[in-house]
Amino acid sequence: MKHSDLIFPALIGAVASARSMTPMASIAAARFLNRRTPGRLVLLDRPLFKYGALAMGAGELFGDKMKTAPDRTVFLGLLARVMSAGIAGAALAPRGREQAGALTAVASAVPLAYITLAGRKRAMARMGQTRSGLIEDALVVAAGAAVVALAVRS
């Protein structure tokens, strides 16, 4: 076992720290392009889950701009990050290492949720909720797409 085998799960966990549904939406998009993940993930082979992951990813991007959007560190926000990071981390881990990939992604997502929230609050104070959210969206969606593209390319 090499520690570098778990770099993609750690990175997708970082993505989940800022946008809980982006990891699953990124993997679903890769599935639509007939790309396979290294780890076994049968859920996103089902159309309902693929479309659902994409819809939830898009919905989160819109919902985050609402004034009533809760912090990502509330219980349900952290729970969504744990679930999404765990599933995506397992999918991006080498076959047979799915459990280690899930744990790595969750271990990355939860503490980074507090750090990304602090950064977002500073950005909101400087430029407002919508503008800071759009910038964060662009960075996080690009990071999610890049991590998944690199993990599934071979």
Side-chain angles (χ1 to χ4, degrees):
M1 172 184 99
K2 298 182 291 185
H3 292 294
S4 62
D5 289 346
L6 299 177
I7 190 71
F8 294 122
L11 291 172
I12 207 67
V15 169
S17 75
R19 292 288 178 277
S20 61
M21 296 297 120
T22 298
M24 297 300 293
S26 299
I27 291 174
R31 289 288 213 225
F32 276 114
L33 297 172
N34 294 319
R35 303 286 185 199
R36 297 317 244 173
T37 55
R40 192 156 188 254
L41 181 66
V42 294
L43 278 180
L44 287 177
D45 287 331
R46 302 189 192 305
L48 176 67
F49 287 100
K50 270 196 277 198
Y51 288 112
L54 288 173
M56 288 173 58
E60 182 181 36
L61 297 178
F62 288 106
D64 179 64
K65 310 314 166 293
M66 296 171 51
K67 300 286 184 204
T68 58
D71 286 346
R72 61 192 73 178
T73 56
V74 300
F75 175 76
L76 290 178
L78 287 175
L79 180 62
R81 278 161 180 72
V82 166
M83 292 170 51
S84 177
I87 293 167
L92 298 182
R95 190 157 303 241
R97 305 282 325 277
E98 290 90 351
Q99 187 174 26
L103 292 173
T104 299
V106 170
S108 173
V110 173
L112 284 176
Y114 291 90
I115 295 169
T116 59
L117 176 60
R120 174 69 186 278
K121 285 183 175 182
R122 281 194 299 274
M124 283 172 52
R126 289 189 188 126
M127 63 183 82
Q129 182 174 3
T130 301
R131 191 168 163 205
S132 65
L134 291 172
I135 292 168
E136 187 179 39
D137 286 347
L139 293 171
V140 172
V141 169
V147 169
V148 171
L150 289 170
V152 302
R153 70 179 168 161
S154 46

